[in-house]
Amino acid sequence: IDLHHDILFFLILILVFVLWMLVRVLWHFYYEFHPFPQRIVHGTTIEIIWTIFPSIILMFIAIPSFALLYSMDEVVVDPAITIKAIGHQWYWTYEYSDYNSSDEQSLTFDSYMIPEDDLELGQLRLLEVDNRVVVPAKTHLRMIVTSADVLHSWAVPSLGVKCDAVPGRLNQTSILVKREGVYYGQCSEICGTNHAFMPIVVEAVSLKDYG
């Protein structure tokens, strides 16, 4: 929000200046007032000025935006839960590795889109899956995202999350779901012929129900 306000400040200054210049030119150089325009084709000083000033403005915009980008990439130091999402052609695999023990494997499951013919009343076409990602609300979560074959992207717009799934690389992001509910997303990287058929469903429940 602060970055938005900062940029809006510069936008208003630029808008007012450009409008003032435009009105001034239209008024003072109207053909009835100046039937014989001056033949000025070069102005070195003004060209230097209109090159330097936008560069300075862009610098003032870039510094806070870079700071925001880096801070958004910071993951919560001690998240309560870590979930790993693995993109496949064309489905997602999820691992709840926090519950590993020496006696059993991690909690792992695949999440496929429900075909249109199998949808029940109230389910959303092309968005519903057979196994949802269940997470507790009001809890700091860490998502680790990767891919097993090609580029995918784990994106849930209503949670403000979009993280690329790159083969051989682990990307991570933080999530804090503020209220219980069901949040829908889709792979947002063109990953092949069935790219549009690998949705994401995150179901946030109370901590008690999650347990």
Side-chain angles (χ1 to χ4, degrees):
I1 293 173
D2 290 338
L3 178 65
H4 169 267
H5 293 342
D6 291 342
I7 295 177
L8 197 63
F9 169 75
F10 290 108
L11 288 178
I12 292 173
L13 288 182
I14 295 169
L15 179 65
V16 171
F17 176 73
V18 171
L19 281 176
W20 176 75
M21 290 291 292
L22 189 61
V23 172
R24 183 180 173 84
V25 168
L26 289 174
W27 177 259
H28 289 284
F29 294 91
Y30 189 55
Y31 73 97
E32 289 186 354
F33 300 154
H34 295 84
F36 302 102
Q38 297 180 7
R39 297 193 176 277
I40 299 174
V41 294
H42 290 292
T44 305
T45 304
I46 191 67
E47 289 184 8
I48 292 174
I49 291 173
W50 75 36
T51 302
I52 292 176
F53 266 86
S55 302
I56 295 173
I57 292 173
L58 287 174
M59 184 181 68
F60 276 105
I61 293 175
I63 292 173
S65 66
F66 285 152
L68 180 62
L69 280 173
Y70 280 110
S71 64
M72 287 176 66
D73 283 338
E74 288 295 322
V75 175
V76 176
V77 177
D78 189 19
I81 298 170
T82 298
I83 302 173
K84 185 177 181 181
I86 306 170
H88 299 270
Q89 289 181 316
W90 287 270
Y91 63 96
W92 293 97
T93 297
Y94 297 99
E95 295 181 6
Y96 288 73
S97 54
D98 289 344
Y99 309 112
N100 281 0
S101 70
S102 57
D103 299 326
E104 58 184 4
Q105 295 180 345
S106 62
L107 177 59
T108 305
F109 60 89
D110 297 330
S111 180
Y112 289 88
M113 185 191 77
I114 297 178
E116 188 173 351
D117 295 337
D118 298 334
L119 288 174
E120 297 178 0
L121 188 64
Q123 291 184 326
L124 300 179
R125 175 179 171 269
L126 300 182
L127 286 177
E128 199 58 65
V129 295
D130 55 358
N131 290 312
R132 294 176 172 179
V133 185
V134 180
V135 300
K138 300 177 182 178
T139 304
H140 288 289
L141 312 172
R142 174 172 57 191
M143 287 297 304
I144 297 178
V145 183
T146 188
S147 172
D149 38 47
V150 299
L151 289 174
H152 298 280
S153 187
W154 199 83
V156 185
S158 52
L159 295 179
V161 177
K162 182 179 184 293
C163 190
D164 289 342
V166 183
R169 175 170 176 166
L170 293 176
N171 290 330
Q172 60 180 359
T173 184
S174 292
I175 303 176
L176 176 64
V177 186
K178 293 188 175 181
R179 62 176 181 267
E180 299 175 25
V182 180
Y183 302 86
Y184 294 92
Q186 290 176 301
C187 174
S188 59
E189 190 73 51
I190 300 177
C191 57
T193 56
N194 289 334
H195 155 68
F197 307 110
M198 52 182 301
I200 302 158
V201 182
V202 177
E203 182 177 355
V205 298
S206 67
L207 195 58
K208 179 182 178 181
D209 290 339
Y210 175 79

